[in-house]
Amino acid sequence: MESIISIRNLSKTYASGFRALKDINLDIQQGEIFALLGPNGAGKTTLISIICGIVTPGEGSVTVNGHDILTEFRASRSMIGLVPQELATATFESVEATMSFSRGLFGKPPNPAHIEKVLRDLSLWDRRKDRIINLSGGMKRRVLIAKALAHQPQVLFLDEPTAGVDVEQRRDMWAMVRGLRDTGVTVILTTHYIEEAEEMADRIGIINDGEISVIEEKSVLMNKLGKKQLQLTLQKSLTAVPAELADYSLELQQEGNVLIYTFDTQKEHTGISELLRQLGKLGIDFKDLHSSQSSLEDIFVSLVSDKA
Amino acid sequence: MNFYGIRAIYIFEMSRTWRTLMESIASPILTTSLYFIVFGAAIGSRMGEIDGISYASFIIPGLLMLSLLGESISNASFGIYFPKFSGTIYEVLSAPVSPFEVVIGYVGAAATKSLIIGLLILATARLFVDYEIMHPLWMVSFLLLTAVTFSLFGFIIGLWADDFQKLQIIPMMVITPLTFLGGAFYSISMLPPFWQKVTLFNPVVYLISGLRWSFYGVSDVKVGISMVMILVFMLLCMLSVWWIFKTGYRLKD
């Protein structure tokens, strides 16, 4: 796969002295869904804003399909559609008019058939004559998406697309994003909902404090960093982990009633059978056992807190 | 050139004008009519002629300039300030339009609107006073250049302002006094010699004087100087806009 966006050594320091981005290197591949994860203030929006031309970059370079975002801004920007985080809409305009505005702004001749298709796909066709001020929050969010798609972009940025959107609409939006990917559109979304990244993304980048700490295929990331835990509910509670079991990473929880063994799925020997044999020898019986894999959320939290 | 982009901005801005027809067109005409009634008909009938022109006719170019300046500045400043305020500016900034094209769209629409208002005021004046225009081409050039220049100036104010108060302060504290002291209601030859000199530092004097010359062939300063002054001010505004976009000042940081 070719990379459609190439970011090299990008840094950004705001006039206030705040270093929002520190030496970012990132390649986004053609046709993928890339999720940029990070806590609030990590630099997600700054990164997107620079690529789209809303914020002037500091050091480093960014190209979109080989076009430099500064020297060839026309070529690079025409390929991009942006759905911002804030619900910023031309309040008094009609849905239809604001769509035509967006298409024109991006240098495309009018195309009513395309506008109709986008509005129908986003269930906005019936409201096309309505002024934006009369729409609900969820509809305004869809108007922003419609505007971003008005000029048929090759790359779509979704900055926190499902913030404040209810569960059902969230599912619809995910389906729409997948549909776009199927037509060859590259999608980059930022989110702090881990489940969104877990559900949608092909690859995940984790950004924290202006630095990208991890860029990985979602499945690889989950395998690599995913820890498994074996949870044993004991017959009789223990006051401490017996000295004979000191070699295992064990933890007692719930007043000594639950013993938790954390192991690495990548290792050849997980040590489970040895542990269970040892427990048998020591006469520690258990009522129940189950194992679980850490979610992306746990991975994320551990990565972010490691850095801090 | 992104022709469709310029057109989109221009149409968007003009549709704002039509949507707010009452505020945008009716109110400046009403205000100017009041000036004509009070200064032209009521007070003017008791005033002598100035440079051989009846007082009511004498004030027409000044009143026209007064509303042209005010309208150009407020249209253009609001036009660019509001998207900044509401956040919709992101779209213009992320679009493949050059700063030059953005300026043509916004400033072009603001200037168009203030020219429409200017012409309507001229037509309204006809209801109160008989006037003639000796040099129509010069008049049109002065109106056009003033509308464009002060729309550019308004655009700069709109970019600079970061709250609604700042949006109002330059028109109220600078432009209105300069216009009133710029000879809208009197000839500067009526001032004491010292103030005649001081008043030449007021750029609006040149605008009003030039426009009055195009009407009646009389002026406080030579018409050529008026034309040069307005071109100089236009150039200054263009340079400021160019600098703002180059540095991203108040736009991209």
Side-chain angles (χ1 to χ4, degrees), chain A residues 71-277:
Chain A
T71 56
E72 299 167 83
F73 73 93
R74 283 187 205 272
S76 71
R77 290 187 199 169
S78 348
M79 301 191 67
I80 296 177
L82 167 65
V83 182
Q85 192 172 338
E86 306 290 330
L87 281 180
T89 47
T91 323
F92 303 109
E93 290 289 321
S94 72
V95 173
E96 216 170 29
T98 195
M99 284 279 286
S100 311
F101 172 73
S102 301
R103 191 175 165 87
L105 204 55
F106 278 76
K108 293 278 170 75
N111 181 346
H114 174 69
I115 303 273
E116 178 173 347
K117 185 183 179 307
V118 173
L119 288 179
R120 283 194 190 281
D121 287 351
L122 287 161
S123 326
L124 286 168
W125 180 246
D126 295 337
R127 309 297 300 265
R128 66 189 182 279
K129 304 274 183 207
D130 288 16
R131 282 184 178 201
I132 294 170
I133 196 169
N134 298 326
L135 301 181
S136 70
M139 280 181 183
K140 282 183 187 150
R141 172 90 41 206
R142 298 209 300 272
V143 169
L144 287 177
I145 297 175
K147 280 163 75 71
L149 295 173
H151 66 283
Q152 296 151 293
Q154 290 303 300
V155 182
L156 182 68
F157 282 93
L158 296 159
D159 198 357
E160 305 276 351
T162 50
V165 173
D166 66 37
V167 180
E168 196 183 331
Q169 288 184 337
R170 199 174 293 177
R171 304 250 161 230
D172 289 349
M173 203 172 288
W174 291 346
M176 187 214 72
V177 169
R178 285 201 197 88
L180 282 171
R181 197 250 319 256
D182 293 343
T183 65
V185 175
T186 308
V187 179
I188 295 126
L189 61 97
T190 72
T191 181
H192 53 251
Y193 295 124
I194 318 277
E195 61 156 338
E196 192 159 79
E198 210 168 334
E199 171 86 26
M200 301 278 304
D202 299 313
R203 284 199 310 151
I204 289 173
I206 294 181
I207 184 168
N208 189 35
D209 204 13
E211 287 173 290
I212 291 194
S213 45
V214 177
I215 305 169
E216 202 68 83
E217 299 274 328
K218 180 178 63 186
S219 50
V220 175
L221 180 69
M222 301 208 39
N223 266 334
K224 196 150 109 189
L225 295 162
K227 285 182 193 154
K228 272 200 143 180
Q229 287 189 329
L230 178 68
Q231 203 170 353
L232 297 162
T233 311
L234 304 174
Q235 284 288 5
K236 284 183 211 151
S237 65
L238 291 173
T239 47
V241 176
E244 292 86 342
L245 301 174
D247 289 347
Y248 298 91
S249 67
L250 289 172
E251 200 187 336
L252 271 174
Q253 281 184 0
Q254 298 176 23
E255 297 164 347
N257 284 312
V258 175
L259 189 63
I260 290 172
Y261 172 50
T262 307
F263 58 94
D264 190 340
T265 50
Q266 300 301 104
K267 278 197 184 150
E268 202 137 318
H269 297 288
T270 54
I272 292 178
S273 30
E274 290 89 337
L275 175 67
L276 294 183
R277 272 199 291 277

Side-chain angles (χ1 to χ4, degrees), chain A residues 12 14-15 52-56 73-74 77-78 82 84 88-90 92-93 101-102 104-110 131 144 147, chain B residues 1-2 4-5 7-9 12 15-16 19 82 86-88 90-99 101 247-248 251-253:
Chain A
K12 171 71 188 178
Y14 282 105
C52 295
I54 296 169
V55 168
T56 35
F73 73 93
R74 283 187 205 272
R77 290 187 199 169
S78 348
L82 167 65
T89 47
F92 303 109
E93 290 289 321
F101 172 73
S102 301
L105 204 55
F106 278 76
K108 293 278 170 75
R131 282 184 178 201
L144 287 177
K147 280 163 75 71
Chain B
M1 276 291 252
N2 181 350
Y4 290 111
R7 199 180 73 148
I9 295 175
F12 179 87
S15 82
R16 194 164 58 83
R19 199 170 52 228
F82 196 70
S86 68
T88 53
Y90 83 88
E91 208 177 5
V92 176
L93 293 177
S94 68
V97 285
S98 68
E101 290 153 0
T247 56
L251 267 181
K252 298 200 175 192
D253 249 342

Side-chain angles (χ1 to χ4, degrees), chain B residues 12-71:
Chain B
F12 179 87
E13 281 298 292
M14 289 312 284
S15 82
R16 194 164 58 83
T17 304
W18 309 133
R19 199 170 52 228
T20 54
L21 204 63
M22 268 314 268
E23 302 91 316
S24 20
I25 291 183
S27 87
I29 291 176
L30 179 70
T31 313
T32 318
S33 301
L34 291 175
Y35 276 117
F36 280 124
I37 293 167
V38 176
F39 289 100
I43 299 176
S45 59
R46 304 207 168 189
M47 306 266 287
E49 293 189 340
I50 302 176
D51 299 329
I53 307 154
S54 78
Y55 188 69
S57 312
F58 181 84
I59 61 171
I60 291 173
L63 285 176
L64 190 53
M65 220 24 125
L66 187 70
S67 40
L68 201 62
L69 294 185
E71 284 299 316

Side-chain angles (χ1 to χ4, degrees), chain B residues 135 138 142 206 209-211 213-214 219-229:
Chain B
H135 310 283
W138 278 87
F142 270 117
Y206 301 89
S209 166
L211 188 64
W213 179 85
S214 73
S219 60
D220 292 324
V221 286
K222 284 211 172 69
V223 65
I225 298 176
S226 289
M227 191 50 96
V228 169
M229 288 300 280

